[in-house]
Amino acid sequence: VAVVDGDGNLQDEIRLPNDRLAELAEQYSGGEAAIEASGNYRPIYEMLDEHLDVTLVNPSKNRIIADATVKTDRVDAKRLAQMLRADMLAESYVPPDEIRTLRDLVRTRKSLVESRTAEKNRVRAVLTRTDNTYDSELFGPTGREFLAELSLSDADRTIIEAHLSVIDAYDEQIEAVEEEIEQEVLESPAAQRLLSIPGVGQYTAAVIVAEVGEIDRFDSDKQLVSYAGLDPMVHQSGDKEIRGSISKEGSAPLRWALVQCANIAVRCDDYFGNFYTRL
């Protein structure tokens, strides 16, 4: 931690464990603080936010820090403090509590589904290794019957049963998380409005609300498209302009959800289907 005064003079440098952060925040209560956004910023942000005006910093957009030749915790802390004092920091959005809760739920579901898919792929790998042909539907009632009747060695049977038991556990946990998501969607006017759009379902509505947050932080639809990374990259030189593929910047979960919704909408809605075909 680096502490500077209003004139930019270094007042203190401290290295301390996380459990002393609350004590530090109380000591400088009413002041300003900046922390870099990272995978585990939430508990630190919330602890500091009780006493300080906290700015969550987007490290990739603060090139002075991201591209620094000398990059250590001590140097970064001082740079952050000086840039905060000069109001030069690019902030990351911190959503309100209810949006953070929904975001945690949809990201947890995504992680669980990815882990379950990995287990299913391991079952498929055993079948491929043992030269067993199979239909794509392996994990429903019919697929389970097929797996139970296969002629396998004791070792391969044990391996498949182990993976199936893990898949069952994931199914149970995913169902529990989905129930929580469904409740959040029912209580969200924004999510209910999204459900009126062809192609948008319960989960994708939850992802969109969780990733967009407060819609009034965007001044235009173009800003929202850019935040989703669905805007085309543009290369311009003189009078020549070339539009490339989408930028893929911003929120990857939001981009994924919107693409999923679009793929469904063009199949189930005539207007969107005709528009897609024409493009």
Side-chain angles (χ1 to χ4, degrees), residues 99-113:
I99 299 295
R100 277 186 256 175
T101 298
L102 183 58
R103 188 175 285 189
D104 288 343
L105 285 168
V106 297
R107 290 182 178 182
T108 297
R109 181 193 179 275
K110 178 177 181 290
S111 175
L112 290 171
V113 168

Side-chain angles (χ1 to χ4, degrees), residues 23-45:
E23 177 187 325
L24 179 80
E26 286 183 35
Q27 180 182 347
Y28 292 100
S29 183
E32 296 180 70
I35 63 169
E36 284 190 333
S38 61
N40 61 344
Y41 83 87
R42 279 275 296 281
I44 295 171
Y45 178 92

Side-chain angles (χ1 to χ4, degrees), residues 156-172:
D156 286 333
R157 172 64 60 193
T158 300
I159 290 168
I160 284 182
E161 291 297 335
H163 289 308
L164 290 178
S165 67
V166 175
I167 290 167
D168 290 339
Y170 277 127
D171 284 340
E172 184 179 338

Side-chain angles (χ1 to χ4, degrees), residues 136-153:
S136 58
E137 201 293 297
L138 267 180
F139 303 99
T142 305
R144 289 300 181 95
E145 287 178 14
F146 166 77
L147 290 172
E149 293 168 0
L150 276 179
S151 177
L152 295 168
S153 68

